[in-house]
Amino acid sequence: MITTVRDGSAIAVAGDPNHPMTRGWLCVKVSRYLERVYHPKRVLTPLRRAGAKSAGHFEPIAWDEALATIAGRWRAIIAEYGAEAILPYSYTGVLGLVQCMVAESRLFNRLGASQLERSICGAAGELAIQQTLGGRLAPEYSDLLHSRLVVLWGSNPHSTAPHLMPFLRDAQRNGCELIVIDPLRTPSAAAANWHLAPLPGTDGALALGVANVLIAEGLVDHEYVRQHVAGYEEFAALAAQFPPARAAAITGLSAGDIVELARRYAATRPAHIRTTDGVQRHASGGNTIRAIAALPALTGNYGLRGGGLAYSTSDVIVWDAEAIGHASECPPPGRTINMNRLGAALLGEAEENGPPIKALYIFNTNPVVSAPNSGKIIAGLQREDLFTVVHELFLTDTARYADIILPATTQLEHVDLNKGYGHHYLTYNRPAIAPLGEARSNWDVMRALAEALGFTEPWLRQTADDVIAEILQATPMTREAGITLERLQAEGTVRLPLPEDYVPFADGIFATPSGKVELAPEGLGPPLYRDNPESPAGDPELAARYPLMLISSGAHHFLSSSFANMPTLRRKQREPIVTLHPDDAAPRGIVDGDTVEIFNDRGVVRMRARVADELRRGVVGTVKGWWHSLSPDGKGVNWLTSDRLADTAGNSTFHATLVDIRKIADT
Ligand SMILES: Nc1nc2c(c(=O)[nH]1)N[C@H]1C(S)=C(S)[C@@H](COP(=O)(O)OP(=O)(O)OC[C@H]3O[C@@H](n4cnc5c(=O)[nH]c(N)nc54)[C@H](O)[C@@H]3O)O[C@H]1N2
Ligand SMILES: Nc1nc2c(c(=O)[nH]1)N[C@H]1C(S)=C(S)[C@@H](COP(=O)(O)OP(=O)(O)OC[C@H]3O[C@@H](n4cnc5c(=O)[nH]c(N)nc54)[C@H](O)[C@@H]3O)O[C@H]1N2
Ligand SMILES: [Mo]
């Protein structure tokens, strides 16, 4: 991204024409980034609560006073309860090396604070890929031009990865076939040759059904399996239990469609599967991704240009962990709190393995809007004895519950180093303008807090540039390739040292214990299928009361709850809308445009109904991101979602949510 600056103010942002991914254009959200930077409601000074929690009354204070207050409260809490009573709560408001990874680890390691299990997004998928392939590696977007078949499996790049789309469209123009597997007919699905709409959370059974057909019809690449796959026998024995008829009964697809999917996938090479997060925010998310990741192994698609599987490119470079967190110089790590259980943790669950949480330090995240089961989180944040600091750009729904709010910088105002989110380039984020008002970056606040707490370690005092230089030097890949801070500053974007024709796993070597694709890893076995506990199949009694399955995926004009307070983008996203199938709307007396309430035991949320046959009967769809405070009755979708954890890595299960919907009289 290139920013044009005049007299110290940013006046335009544009994609870098020389960057191989953005190629001169930005997505609908980031192209309006200046509206965010210069938003009249940015928080520009530290603030102290002046009134009841959540009332939204704050008064400005000086940084020195804010820092001294925080250090004083933390010292007192540590003296009485120990450092584990402090919980840092952060996610990926920024994804950079310094402002995310280093900022979330160093100071809190030094304190011995509670650790946060950051599992709200893709932890199940990440671990599943790790277990199966040994690391998260994925092909370049441009390799789609070599694909003859692309399967988008629970992935909606039209909205969530727009820079992929030109490559996909070019591939389609070259004759590549596109199959989309999604309970919703997303824009990505509408442009496909074939759209399959399984019941949510049943993709594990679908993948096993496809494997069953591949095996039964002799479509397996046995030479590839012999050389590069471990656990085939165990996996095949499991797949034998999922003949098309059974997979059809579970997924709600026809047996014929499952057979057809397997045949087309096996017959068209290279075939590329892109599976991202839709399928894994379910109770069996990890097993589902493992089952899907088996299919390229059975057909010998790994290592083929235009084939393989795309989940994430994140492990193509793994930063030196010690340089990031300096954990070896710190007290033993505190107990771990799962971020999806924030409400429960604040309301007593934390005491099962340590002291109560007495202090929260929230940054890079907006849990009141974005984390599951909002009602519990809000109840927890209202605790009078809880000392909450929120470092933010805006007075978000979360910041309203803070005792102290600290003003944060935007990407235009701080130094950072970004690695690819789906590609293989490193980009140095050079600040274009000075911080607005008294805003400080995440890392600068950590340095200031370290000083207020009296810590003298040099790695708590470094500038962001020094941090980057240290980590580039400590990480073998960048050190050996001569990728230095100076080079990044000079070139902006630098390709990772990978061969020009890089295709993951082209050498047939996987970083697993066996060196092969593991279909039944030691201690795990093959990827078992289980019904979502919160689904009609998993809990018929609950489904009798709440028969509709609610999916809330990424909004086209928001990034989670970020950007959802920007006037232009809010106008484009219109209002909170729930889409129902005509056959679900009719018996409820709901017509297009009605105001409705979506409800279950966790909450009641008001939205506009849209009636369309864009999704399966029994499935209703909305988006994540609308702020509660900008929603019709002050409640957003996560009042409805479950804080149950998935099978793998303590992942969230947002899409495993049962609800019902009723029409309400228009007001
Ligand atoms: N515009 C925009 N872009 C974003 C985001 C955003 O909020 N807005 N969020 C960013 C973040 S944090 C992430 S993690 C990524 C996520 O990006 P994606 O992986 O694309 O995730 P989602 O949009 O949550 O879901 C993708 C699709 O999965 C479908 N789905 C849900 N359940 C199932 C299921 O059981 N089976 C199948 N087959 N499909 C299912 C949904 O209908 C949806 O169309 O996007 C990133 N990009
Ligand atoms: N219903 C439902 N809910 C979901 C999902 C879903 O599919 N359905 N998806 C989940 C997923 S995939 C994710 S990743 C999570 C995301 O959830 P969060 O990580 O909470 O993401 P956001 O809601 O965008 O909140 C990020 C906040 O960070 C702030 N921020 C941005 N830059 C900075 C900075 O430099 N410093 C500081 N201090 N703050 C900054 C932004 O202003 C914003 O308020 O949401 C989850 N929530
Ligand atoms: Mo995410």
Side-chain angles (χ1 to χ4, degrees):
M1 178 163 124
I2 294 179
T3 307
T4 307
V5 179
R6 188 186 296 154
D7 302 331
S9 290
I11 56 167
V13 291
D16 177 353
N18 295 319
H19 191 282
M21 296 298 127
T22 54
R23 299 191 295 176
W25 62 280
L26 299 172
C27 73
V28 67
K29 309 174 295 296
V30 175
S31 60
R32 290 171 178 78
Y33 200 75
L34 295 184
E35 202 179 292
R36 182 169 170 80
V37 174
Y38 295 111
H39 194 296
K41 293 209 171 146
R42 259 192 72 181
V43 175
L44 293 175
T45 67
L47 300 170
R48 176 175 49 209
R49 176 161 68 89
K53 291 211 182 204
S54 89
H57 299 306
F58 295 91
E59 60 194 18
I61 52 171
W63 266 106
D64 281 351
E65 189 185 346
L67 294 166
T69 306
I70 297 167
R73 288 293 295 264
W74 285 4
R75 278 206 200 91
I77 287 167
I78 292 168
E80 191 170 348
Y81 298 94
E84 286 182 311
I86 301 173
L87 177 67
Y89 191 92
S90 71
Y91 202 59
T92 51
V94 279
L95 275 158
L97 176 64
V98 181
Q99 307 301 349
C100 180
M101 294 182 79
V102 171
E104 75 191 15
S105 53
R106 285 192 184 177
L107 177 66
F108 298 103
N109 286 348
R110 178 64 186 79
L111 280 165
S114 283
Q115 302 276 316
L116 186 68
E117 185 172 21
R118 292 187 170 82
S119 50
I120 201 167
C121 177
E126 289 164 19
L127 185 57
I129 294 291
Q130 184 76 40
Q131 290 160 337
T132 309
L133 304 178
R136 289 166 295 164
L137 305 178
E140 309 264 8
Y141 286 179
S142 52
D143 278 5
L144 292 183
L145 300 173
H146 299 267
S147 304
R148 292 193 51 227
L149 169 65
V150 170
V151 182
L152 296 179
W153 198 325
S155 181
N156 181 25
H158 170 80
S159 293
T160 60
H163 285 94
L164 175 88
M165 295 311 286
F167 297 101
L168 183 58
R169 294 289 170 254
D170 282 350
Q172 286 185 283
R173 273 191 282 276
N174 288 348
C176 171
E177 190 182 347
L178 176 64
I179 298 178
V180 173
I181 304 174
D182 195 311
L184 269 54
R185 192 166 71 238
T186 58
S188 303
N193 299 81
W194 193 24
H195 172 210
L196 286 152
L199 284 163
T202 65
D203 302 80
L206 178 57
L208 290 169
V210 167
N212 178 288
V213 177
L214 295 176
I215 295 166
E217 299 198 352
L219 300 171
V220 170
D221 182 341
H222 284 290
E223 187 49 31
Y224 188 87
V225 168
R226 197 181 57 73
Q227 288 187 40
H228 302 298
V229 179
Y232 175 75
E233 297 303 328
E234 260 183 277
F235 181 85
L238 174 67
Q241 299 168 34
F242 287 82
R246 180 173 176 216
I250 295 172
T251 58
L253 300 173
S254 76
D257 279 350
I258 294 170
V259 173
E260 174 69 14
L261 177 62
R263 287 182 184 160
R264 281 212 219 174
Y265 179 64
T268 325
R269 265 162 81 98
H272 173 93
I273 298 177
R274 177 183 166 86
T275 187
T276 52
D277 293 309
V279 295
Q280 63 97 57
R281 277 184 214 122
H282 285 281
S284 284
N287 279 290
T288 300
I289 295 281
R290 288 209 288 132
I292 293 172
L295 303 179
L298 298 181
T299 52
N301 265 295
Y302 281 118
L304 280 187
R305 178 177 299 284
L309 177 99
Y311 176 75
S312 154
T313 54
S314 290
D315 287 336
V316 69
I317 177 160
V318 180
W319 300 117
D320 183 84
E322 180 58 24
I324 287 183
H326 284 265
S328 77
E329 298 168 64
C330 295
R335 51 90 193 266
T336 298
I337 302 280
N338 185 302
M339 71 183 298
N340 298 306
R341 303 285 302 167
L342 176 61
L346 291 175
L347 296 176
E349 196 173 81
E351 284 156 74
E352 288 168 14
N353 63 351
I357 296 165
K358 302 297 276 186
L360 266 179
Y361 185 90
I362 302 178
F363 71 106
N364 269 354
T365 183
N366 184 9
V368 167
V369 176
S370 289
N373 204 345
S374 316
K376 260 200 225 171
I377 295 173
I378 289 168
L381 289 174
Q382 265 161 339
R383 264 178 40 200
E384 279 305 328
D385 65 323
L386 179 71
F387 176 65
T388 302
V389 180
V390 178
H391 185 203
E392 249 301 347
L393 297 157
F394 299 104
L395 190 62
T396 59
D397 294 345
T398 302
R400 295 180 79 84
Y401 294 91
D403 296 285
I404 303 261
I405 302 177
L406 303 173
T409 43
T410 66
Q411 184 182 332
L412 264 46
E413 299 154 62
H414 58 230
V415 166
D416 213 343
L417 180 65
N418 294 308
K419 66 178 185 180
Y421 186 86
H423 62 76
H424 299 123
Y425 297 82
L426 291 178
T427 300
Y428 179 72
N429 187 120
R430 182 197 297 280
I433 55 172
L436 264 61
E438 295 178 28
R440 291 193 192 178
S441 74
N442 296 340
W443 176 239
D444 282 347
V445 176
M446 295 305 156
R447 298 162 72 200
L449 282 170
E451 192 177 337
L453 289 159
F455 295 139
T456 52
E457 287 79 355
W459 44 269
L460 289 170
R461 299 292 178 87
Q462 284 166 311
T463 64
D465 277 338
D466 289 342
V467 170
I468 293 171
E470 178 193 344
I471 296 169
L472 290 172
Q473 187 56 30
T475 301
M477 187 187 238
T478 41
R479 182 180 61 239
E480 286 158 20
I483 298 177
T484 58
L485 174 68
E486 293 70 29
R487 189 172 153 205
L488 281 159
Q489 287 175 330
E491 296 176 30
T493 292
V494 172
R495 185 175 156 83
L496 289 168
L498 300 167
E500 196 59 43
D501 58 351
Y502 170 71
V503 175
F505 313 117
D507 55 5
I509 297 171
F510 297 81
T512 55
S514 63
K516 298 178 173 186
V517 181
E518 300 243 10
L519 300 189
E522 185 81 45
L524 267 181
L528 300 178
Y529 173 75
R530 297 215 194 297
D531 294 321
N532 267 329
E534 185 163 331
S535 72
D539 191 345
E541 245 170 71
L542 186 68
R545 286 193 290 142
Y546 306 120
L548 301 172
M549 305 165 85
L550 174 71
I551 290 178
S552 47
S553 42
H556 190 77
H557 303 94
F558 304 156
L559 179 62
S560 297
S561 79
S562 300
F563 299 94
N565 62 332
M566 286 168 52
T568 311
L569 294 172
R570 245 191 18 250
R571 238 177 353 260
K572 285 179 177 286
Q573 195 67 37
R574 293 169 47 208
E575 61 184 327
I577 291 169
V578 62
T579 306
L580 317 76
H581 190 278
D583 293 352
D584 291 321
R588 292 172 175 82
I590 295 169
V591 299
D592 196 69
D594 276 349
T595 302
V596 295
E597 280 179 347
I598 317 171
F599 60 97
N600 60 20
D601 288 341
R602 289 178 288 265
V604 184
V605 175
R606 191 174 299 189
M607 290 194 197
R608 180 81 59 203
R610 191 164 148 271
V611 178
D613 66 353
E614 278 171 14
L615 30 64
R616 283 192 67 100
R617 279 179 199 80
V619 179
V620 296
T622 186
V623 297
K624 61 173 169 172
W626 282 100
W627 290 20
H628 298 324
S629 52
L630 299 171
S631 298
D633 62 345
K635 290 187 182 141
V637 66
N638 280 326
W639 269 90
L640 300 165
T641 54
S642 164
D643 56 358
R644 185 196 299 272
L645 303 180
D647 58 347
T648 304
N651 205 73
S652 59
T653 57
F654 289 105
H655 299 325
T657 292
L658 287 177
V659 297
D660 202 355
I661 301 188
R662 60 185 167 231
K663 180 184 166 74
I664 57 165
D666 274 314
T667 45

